[in-house]
Amino acid sequence: MATLKGESYRPAFPSLTHLENPAYVSSGAEFHQACTHHVNHTFGAHLVYIIASRSLSQNTGNVHRLEQALGDRHVATWPGFSPHTPWNEVLDATKEAMQKKADCIVTIGGGSLTDGAKAMLLLLANDITTLEQLREFQAKAADTQKKLLSSGANAQSITSKDIPCVSPNSPLICIPTTLSGGEYSHFAGGTDPETGHKSILGHPFCGPRLIINDAKLTTTSPEWVWLSTGVRGIDHCVEAFCRLQPEDTEMDREALEAFKCLVPGLLRTKKDRNDEQSRLDCMLGVNRVMIMLKKGITPGASHGIGHQLGPMGVGHGETSCILLPAVLKYNARVNAEKQECMKAALWDEPSVSSVLRERGLTQSSSDLADALDAVFRELGMPRSLKEKGIGEDRYSTLAKNSLKDPCCTANPIPITKEEQVLEILRMCAE
């Protein structure tokens, strides 16, 4: 396939040759040129439906640049989704995309857009346009969805033929401006507007066919969004590496190398938001660690509790800033050796170890949770539930909802009781 001048175009996960719907990654070309090229020449699409970040639409000309580049192939632009992707908004966008007969979806923006677009592929293929239909679909596919989310070989053995629905066939192109990493998975998280419960849909053909990484475009993201979603990427690295099972040396290597890209990269972009090489390093680090979902490796309690904390008004990524160090302390009695390995990686990097020393840490008397606490504070991220207005009166609801999340069950110390969640929440209360 012909590429643009200066463009790198490669499989997102070259070692995983068994994938039904392999994603490709483009970098080195401007986002609007790369998108138009691949719409025309890779996918042969004619009716492109854009889902665009509201802030990008209102504060920059980048969405207009994309619309102009697509020309007559552009049929409509949906003005983004609210944080944590309310299902009612996704259903409204689905209805409009159906009316426009869209044959390709393009997202430009952050994680909520990506989640919504991935779900839309499944909703469009199965003519789902109401919340009642969605709930019926989720109930019908519940057993298969659980297997998709399970760890290890079971997840990798599930194919599109095993899922009781029509498989999506429209391509999805994602142009991310954050580091949340959702563009590398075939799972979509959304929130029920009536119950506040966040649930997950998955299908091999819900994943994007193409991810376009444009470091310059990401400078349009607010600093707190870039940095907090970068901490989400760190959370992916830590929970993937510090798992107890399944054993997977490639996963260990990719998680650790991604970790060594993300932590110093975020610290550098905090100092200089226009450092495009460090931004690209962070994006490629996210790419590396997200192999975890393709391998069926489920993250732990930081993700599981965070999924339910998000709909209470805590920004995507900020949940990891608050929860991850507490979860590490909680899990240390079973995975201390792995945590020690990650701590060593931080102290071995001069740009990181200098920050740790400046914040009063020594390598011998601190642990991984202490080191990450120092990094998150250096980045200016929130570190307590109180900072985000989450009081103890909401802990019980958080605990109940968290137990429904498969990431809590997959935690190195399985989270099966409300008391366990409450213990973690109290550790990051103030």
Side-chain angles (χ1 to χ4, degrees):
M1 191 213 71
T3 59
L4 290 169
K5 184 178 180 181
E7 180 190 24
S8 166
Y9 180 82
R10 59 168 178 79
F13 308 110
S15 67
L16 303 184
T17 57
H18 67 282
L19 297 177
E20 280 190 277
N21 180 35
Y24 282 74
V25 177
S26 165
S27 60
E30 290 191 76
F31 70 93
H32 60 294
Q33 295 174 346
C35 183
T36 302
H37 174 81
H38 291 290
V39 162
N40 294 346
H41 300 291
T42 305
F43 304 118
H46 300 282
L47 302 168
V48 180
Y49 189 82
I50 297 174
I51 304 171
S53 157
R54 290 169 188 163
S55 61
L56 271 181
S57 299
Q58 295 167 2
N59 302 324
T60 78
N62 288 310
V63 176
H64 182 65
R65 287 173 74 196
L66 179 59
E67 292 170 342
Q68 290 293 104
L70 288 168
D72 292 343
R73 294 175 191 259
H74 169 239
V75 295
T77 298
W78 183 265
F81 298 122
S82 300
H84 307 290
T85 323
W87 286 130
N88 55 310
E89 295 183 19
V90 176
L91 290 162
D92 287 342
T94 300
K95 284 183 274 192
E96 183 181 69
M98 281 183 178
Q99 292 166 0
K100 299 292 184 180
K101 299 182 179 178
D103 63 1
C104 177
I105 297 177
V106 173
T107 67
I108 177 168
S112 295
L113 306 180
T114 308
D115 271 346
K118 289 186 292 186
M120 282 177 66
L121 295 181
L122 203 53
L123 303 182
L124 286 165
N126 291 274
D127 294 320
I128 296 171
T129 58
T130 69
L131 199 55
E132 183 180 356
Q133 288 176 319
L134 174 58
R135 289 171 180 155
E136 289 174 359
F137 174 83
Q138 288 176 309
K140 183 175 78 170
D143 288 344
T144 312
Q145 294 293 310
K146 286 179 183 176
K147 290 177 183 176
L148 269 176
L149 285 163
S150 67
S151 294
N154 285 342
Q156 295 185 60
S157 68
I158 301 294
T159 70
S160 58
K161 294 178 182 178
D162 299 311
I163 302 174
C165 69
V166 179
S167 294
N169 57 19
S170 297
L172 170 61
I173 300 172
C174 291
I175 308 171
T177 55
T178 75
L179 295 166
S180 58
E183 61 273 12
Y184 292 101
S185 90
H186 54 267
F187 297 105
T191 305
D192 189 308
E194 296 175 6
T195 66
H197 177 61
K198 190 163 187 177
S199 57
I200 298 174
L201 293 175
H203 190 286
F205 286 92
C206 278
R209 305 267 186 93
L210 176 64
I211 298 104
I212 298 172
N213 285 331
D214 185 332
K216 186 175 182 178
L217 178 66
T218 69
T219 63
T220 61
S221 283
E223 181 185 68
W224 75 269
V225 174
W226 172 259
L227 296 175
S228 65
T229 56
V231 173
R232 189 64 157 183
I234 292 172
D235 199 347
H236 289 138
C237 297
V238 171
E239 294 211 307
F241 187 83
C242 293
R243 74 196 186 282
L244 295 186
Q245 55 182 319
E247 292 187 13
D248 189 320
T249 55
E250 181 186 34
M251 183 70 257
D252 290 344
R253 182 182 67 252
E254 293 298 287
L256 193 59
E257 290 302 314
F259 187 64
K260 291 191 281 188
C261 288
L262 277 162
V263 178
L266 288 172
L267 290 169
R268 288 194 297 268
T269 58
K270 172 68 175 175
K271 290 182 178 179
D272 179 6
R273 66 175 289 106
N274 294 312
D275 184 344
E276 292 181 20
Q277 184 57 55
S278 292
R279 285 177 173 270
L280 185 59
D281 289 345
C282 289
M283 297 176 89
L284 296 179
V286 169
N287 178 182
R288 293 188 73 160
V289 72
M290 291 308 289
I291 198 173
M292 64 188 290
L293 294 183
K294 300 298 183 182
K295 286 174 168 284
I297 292 171
T298 306
S302 179
H303 281 72
I305 301 171
H307 289 154
Q308 310 312 322
L309 185 59
M312 291 188 173
V314 183
H316 188 78
E318 289 182 320
T319 61
S320 296
C321 304
I322 294 167
L323 288 165
L324 180 58
V327 171
L328 283 168
K329 295 276 190 184
Y330 183 84
N331 287 333
R333 63 183 181 268
V334 299
N335 63 5
E337 186 176 343
K338 284 201 160 189
Q339 290 195 33
E340 190 67 21
C341 182
M342 296 202 96
K343 185 189 85 169
L346 295 180
W347 283 95
D348 287 344
E349 170 55 50
S351 65
V352 179
S353 61
S354 63
V355 168
L356 303 184
R357 291 190 186 95
E358 286 168 8
R359 289 193 167 265
L361 298 183
T362 63
Q363 186 168 0
S364 60
S365 63
S366 61
D367 58 21
L368 177 60
D370 298 328
L372 289 176
D373 171 70
V375 168
F376 298 166
R377 292 181 189 277
E378 184 74 11
L379 294 173
M381 293 292 99
R383 283 290 298 115
S384 71
L385 293 168
K386 184 178 181 180
E387 287 177 73
K388 300 305 297 182
I390 305 296
E392 197 164 346
D393 59 315
R394 306 181 80 176
Y395 289 6
S396 178
T397 300
L398 266 172
K400 286 184 174 68
N401 285 342
S402 296
L403 295 185
K404 303 172 187 175
D405 194 292
C407 293
C408 283
T409 309
N411 193 59
I413 299 173
I415 305 294
T416 58
K417 298 178 182 178
E418 290 180 30
E419 291 78 12
Q420 294 173 281
V421 181
L422 293 172
E423 180 180 344
I424 292 169
L425 294 175
R426 291 184 184 117
M427 291 167 69
C428 48
E430 296 186 6

